[in-house]
């Protein structure tokens, strides 16, 4: 049953323009454009790393933001509004499975987006990766947990599809532009850097970039604490406010 | 044997009492209709039976199960179509069928079902490209995939054109012939009269009448109307008739309102006695719609 449901949800995800474009197509295109402009030559400013090297972990965070903050909550909110969740309740399955399937599908979309980004970037630029794979994996997982739980919270507290869309955009767009996910924070004025400090994704970009480029996971205590805190609080709020209809 | 028994069902939404002490039974293998104006509590009553809503008080037994306590056992034996469910428009018909089939231990095959509902040509179409009638037929197919003993249809034909509605009626009759019990809500009195063995009429959360369609019409105590045309003045003749509540003659057209069909015999005999020539004699029996309007009260009238 769950396998059928997951396959079904994945097929629908692949027909969803928003998810496909912003998670799969947009990041490699951005990388090609900005990588084409700046190249990936080592820069003194960034400690011997190229611009593209810095873009990759940041863009991974951008992909997680799209799947976690847009695709996940908007799909769940529309399933609630269209009474699909309610219809599922009147079957022998656990309706919770549909939420699990959505989490899985969006995680898979994220992984596909990252794979596509790397496949495009690899032959075009000389990439430097100096992190540890398990630590990078853990950092990635924490970014996913925090963003997905934020998405579940949006789906939980929003009364209807319109409210979910409004809320998702309000949370997503500032994070997209001001967290370092699309544009590095070092080019921003102090006022915007101050704003970035209240956006959870900023800590995700900081952590993943750091670990990606060779930093030790445990040296990012603040980032780890913020992301874990966001994940816990948002999951609790999502569970508290979630309604099946 | 009854498939469903509901006794003193009450459901409050905060201070609002949506369903107030409703009781009825649904015989196995019958089609049972829940009728009433918008907001009367039809859907709430139905959703309490399906276990999708918690009742405030009262007892419900559906196929011998408590729909709240034993929901999951119940869900493998019932099929539902919900009024507001809009399936994912990008999903293909066969994909939804496969998905719903996978939820049941012993599902029916979906292709023969699609053929039966003349949707086989639409198996690979997206739900978004189906017509209203096709979507409702798909909703029935999805409700049938678990081979249920009992089906719940909530406003299955609302918004469909008359042709599609009649097509759906045939399918509902067929489901009954297969021995399945059907509980349905509807706004269309004609639909209830054609399909339902028994109905209950709900207004403001309370049952105002229940029984067979004929019994409900009887309960409304609406006069028969006898009308005919004559060139003569028959007013004195009319006054002599018994059980007539009202009689009028305007020019050549005469109208009588009466409690009893006996009036017709009396009338014809009196007309014959006095040698009155008449034509176009007609008896109009009250229909479910008349009973509905009378029992539900003036608020629902409007259309006249």
């Amino acid at each position: 049953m769950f396998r059928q449901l997951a396959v079904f949800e994945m097929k629908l995800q692949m027909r969803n323009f928003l998810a496909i474009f912003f998670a799969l197509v947009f990041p490699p295109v951005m990388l090609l454009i900005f990588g084409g402009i700046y190249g990936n030559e080592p820069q003194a400013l960034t400690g011997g790393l190229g611009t593209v090297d810095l873009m990759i972990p940041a863009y991974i965070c951008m992909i997680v933001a799209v799947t976690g903050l847009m695709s996940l909550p908007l799909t769940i909110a529309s399933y609630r509004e269209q009474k699909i969740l309610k219809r599922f309740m009147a079957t022998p399955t656990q309706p919770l499975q549909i939420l699990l399937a959505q989490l899985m599908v969006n995680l898979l979309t994220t992984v596909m987006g990252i794979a596509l980004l790397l496949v495009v970037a690899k032959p075009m630029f000389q990439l430097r990766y100096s992190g540890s794979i398990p630590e990078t994996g853990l950092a990635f997982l924490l970014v996913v947990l925090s963003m997905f739980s934020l998405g579940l919270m949006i789906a939980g507290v929003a009364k209807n599809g319109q409210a979910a869309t409004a809320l998702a955009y309000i949370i997503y767009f500032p994070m997209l532009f001001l967290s370092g996910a699309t544009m590095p924070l070092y080019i921003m004025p102090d006022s915007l850097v101050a704003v970035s400090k209240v956006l959870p994704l900023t800590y995700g970009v900081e952590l993943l970039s750091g670990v990606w480029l060779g930093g030790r996971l445990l040296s990012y205590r603040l980032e780890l604490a913020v992301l874990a805190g966001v994940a816990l609080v948002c999951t609790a709020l999502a569970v508290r406010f979630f309604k099946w209809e | 044997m009854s498939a469903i028994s509901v006794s003193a069902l009450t459901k409050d939404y905060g201070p609002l009492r949506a369903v107030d002490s409703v009781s009825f039974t649904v015989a196995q293998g019958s089609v049972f209709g829940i009728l009433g104006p918008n907001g009367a509590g039809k859907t709430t009553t139905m959703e309490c039976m399906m276990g999708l809503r918690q009742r405030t008080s009262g007892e419900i037994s559906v196929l011998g199960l408590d729909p709240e306590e034993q929901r999951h056992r119940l869900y493998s034996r019932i099929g539902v179509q919900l009024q507001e469910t809009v399936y994912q428009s990008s999903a293909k018909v066969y994909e939804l069928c496969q998905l719903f089939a996978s939820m049941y231990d012993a599902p029916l095959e979906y292709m023969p079902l699609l053929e039966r509902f003349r949707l086989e040509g639409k198996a690979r179409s997206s739900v978004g490209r189906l017509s209203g009638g096709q979507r409702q037929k798909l909703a029935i197919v999805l409700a049938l995939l678990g081979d249920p003993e009992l089906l719940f249809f909530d406003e299955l034909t609302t918004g469909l054109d008359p042709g599609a509605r009649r097509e759906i009626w045939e399918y509902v009759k067929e489901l009954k012939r297969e021995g399945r019990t059907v509980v349905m809500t509807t706004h269309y009195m004609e639909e209830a009269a054609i399909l339902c063995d028994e109905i209950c009429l709900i207004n403001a959360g309370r049952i105002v009448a229940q029984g067979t369609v004929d019994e409900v019409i009887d309960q409304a105590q609406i006069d028969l109307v006898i009308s005919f045309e004559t060139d003569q003045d028959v007013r004195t003749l009319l006054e002599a008739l018994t059980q007539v509540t009202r009689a009028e003659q305007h020019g050549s057209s005469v109208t009588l309102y009466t409690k009893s069909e006996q009036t017709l015999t009396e009338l014809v005999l009196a007309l014959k006695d006095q040698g009155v020539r008449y034509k176009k004699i007609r008896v109009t029996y009250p229909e479910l719609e008349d009973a509905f309007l009378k029992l539900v009260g003036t608020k629902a009238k409007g259309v006249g």
Side-chain angles (χ1 to χ4, degrees), chain B residues 61-73:
Chain B
S61 163
V62 179
L63 302 173
L65 301 169
D66 182 316
E68 272 176 48
E69 308 291 320
Q70 296 161 300
R71 301 164 50 139
H72 289 283
R73 277 174 64 195

Side-chain angles (χ1 to χ4, degrees), chain B residues 171-282:
Chain B
Y171 289 121
V172 173
K173 287 184 196 167
E174 214 175 284
L175 295 173
K176 185 193 163 184
R177 281 198 294 275
E178 290 176 352
R180 302 184 207 271
T181 309
V182 176
V183 177
M184 57 189 286
T185 67
T186 181
H187 275 307
Y188 301 106
M189 298 302 130
E190 188 193 359
E191 177 168 298
I194 287 173
L195 295 178
C196 298
D197 299 300
E198 289 201 40
I199 59 172
C200 77
L201 184 51
I202 302 185
N203 190 29
R206 289 170 173 273
I207 291 191
V208 290
Q210 68 182 105
T212 64
V213 170
D214 285 341
E215 283 166 359
V216 168
I217 294 171
D218 280 348
Q219 284 168 46
Q221 297 189 313
I222 299 169
D223 291 345
L224 299 177
V225 181
I226 301 172
S227 61
F228 61 95
E229 288 179 14
T230 179
D231 296 333
Q232 289 160 264
D233 186 339
V234 292
R235 273 176 287 189
T236 39
L237 179 152
L238 297 176
E239 275 162 28
L241 299 172
T242 56
Q243 292 186 299
V244 171
T245 45
R246 197 150 55 94
E248 314 171 329
Q249 180 169 24
H250 297 292
S252 65
S253 81
V254 180
T255 314
L256 293 176
Y257 299 86
T258 172
K259 302 249 174 274
S260 165
E261 279 192 277
Q262 207 52 48
T263 304
L264 180 64
T265 319
E266 268 184 58
L267 172 71
V268 175
L269 289 175
L271 290 170
K272 191 186 170 213
D273 256 12
Q274 306 202 5
V276 176
R277 274 178 300 137
Y278 62 91
K279 58 181 181 179
K280 294 191 180 168
I281 193 159
R282 204 169 72 176

Side-chain angles (χ1 to χ4, degrees), chain B residues 154-175:
Chain B
D154 194 4
E155 292 191 20
L156 186 58
T157 64
T158 297
L160 299 187
D161 65 62
R165 187 170 301 146
R166 275 174 180 74
E167 189 187 356
I168 301 257
W169 292 350
E170 289 312 308
Y171 289 121
V172 173
K173 287 184 196 167
E174 214 175 284
L175 295 173

Side-chain angles (χ1 to χ4, degrees), chain A residues 177-231:
Chain A
F177 295 115
L178 301 179
S179 68
T182 39
M183 286 174 283
L185 289 177
Y186 62 76
I187 64 165
M188 294 192 189
D190 289 347
S191 55
L192 289 182
V193 172
V195 173
S196 78
K197 297 289 183 210
V198 300
L199 303 174
L201 191 60
T202 306
Y203 300 89
V205 175
E206 190 65 29
L207 173 71
L208 193 66
S209 302
V211 174
W212 188 272
L213 302 169
R216 300 312 307 248
L217 189 67
L218 287 178
S219 60
Y220 290 90
R221 294 235 166 84
L222 173 67
E223 285 75 12
L224 291 172
V226 170
L227 294 173
V230 167

Side-chain angles (χ1 to χ4, degrees), chain A:
Chain A
M1 161 61 216
F2 183 73
R3 197 182 56 84
Q4 284 273 3
L5 179 61
V7 169
F8 176 81
E9 291 295 328
M10 195 65 204
K11 281 185 183 171
L12 296 197
Q13 175 91 334
M14 292 297 116
R15 292 173 199 154
N16 174 358
F17 172 79
L18 184 111
I20 292 315
F21 183 77
F22 285 103
L24 304 186
V25 180
F26 188 64
V29 170
M30 290 270 287
L31 188 92
L32 287 179
I33 293 173
F34 288 102
I37 294 172
Y38 297 110
N40 199 24
E41 297 311 310
Q43 311 268 329
L45 181 65
T46 55
L49 295 162
T51 307
V52 174
D53 294 325
L54 293 171
M55 279 160 70
I56 299 256
Y59 280 16
I60 290 176
C61 291
M62 175 169 90
I63 297 170
V64 177
V66 171
T67 53
L69 300 178
M70 299 288 279
S71 164
L72 178 72
L74 297 188
T75 307
I76 293 175
S78 77
Y79 281 10
R80 179 170 45 218
E81 185 149 314
Q82 293 172 236
K83 306 288 174 190
I84 290 170
L85 297 181
K86 189 172 174 182
R87 176 67 184 85
F88 257 72
M89 287 173 74
T91 67
T93 49
Q94 291 288 344
L96 197 59
Q97 290 194 5
I98 200 167
L99 299 188
L100 292 178
Q102 264 302 311
L103 287 172
M104 224 182 83
V105 160
N106 280 295
L107 180 60
L108 197 60
T109 309
T110 309
V111 172
M112 286 166 62
I114 294 169
L116 213 60
L117 184 67
L118 294 178
V119 162
V120 169
K122 196 98 175 72
M124 303 292 293
F125 308 98
Q126 204 203 336
L127 297 183
R128 298 170 193 86
Y129 171 75
S130 41
S132 117
I133 287 181
E135 289 196 357
T136 309
L138 283 174
F140 169 68
L141 209 60
L142 198 55
V143 174
V144 166
L145 282 176
S146 61
M147 289 303 116
F148 279 34
S149 60
L150 200 49
L152 286 178
M153 188 200 76
I154 295 171
V157 300
K159 282 199 181 70
N160 53 42
Q162 255 187 329
T165 308
L167 201 53
Y169 276 84
I170 288 169
I171 294 177
Y172 170 72
F173 275 107
M175 290 223 254
L176 181 65
F177 295 115
L178 301 179
S179 68
T182 39
M183 286 174 283
L185 289 177
Y186 62 76
I187 64 165
M188 294 192 189
D190 289 347
S191 55
L192 289 182
V193 172
V195 173
S196 78
K197 297 289 183 210
V198 300
L199 303 174
L201 191 60
T202 306
Y203 300 89
V205 175
E206 190 65 29
L207 173 71
L208 193 66
S209 302
V211 174
W212 188 272
L213 302 169
R216 300 312 307 248
L217 189 67
L218 287 178
S219 60
Y220 290 90
R221 294 235 166 84
L222 173 67
E223 285 75 12
L224 291 172
V226 170
L227 294 173
V230 167
L232 286 175
V233 170
C234 291
T235 305
L237 287 173
V239 170
R240 168 72 183 75
F241 288 106
F242 193 80
K243 287 190 183 65
W244 292 99
E245 59 162 317

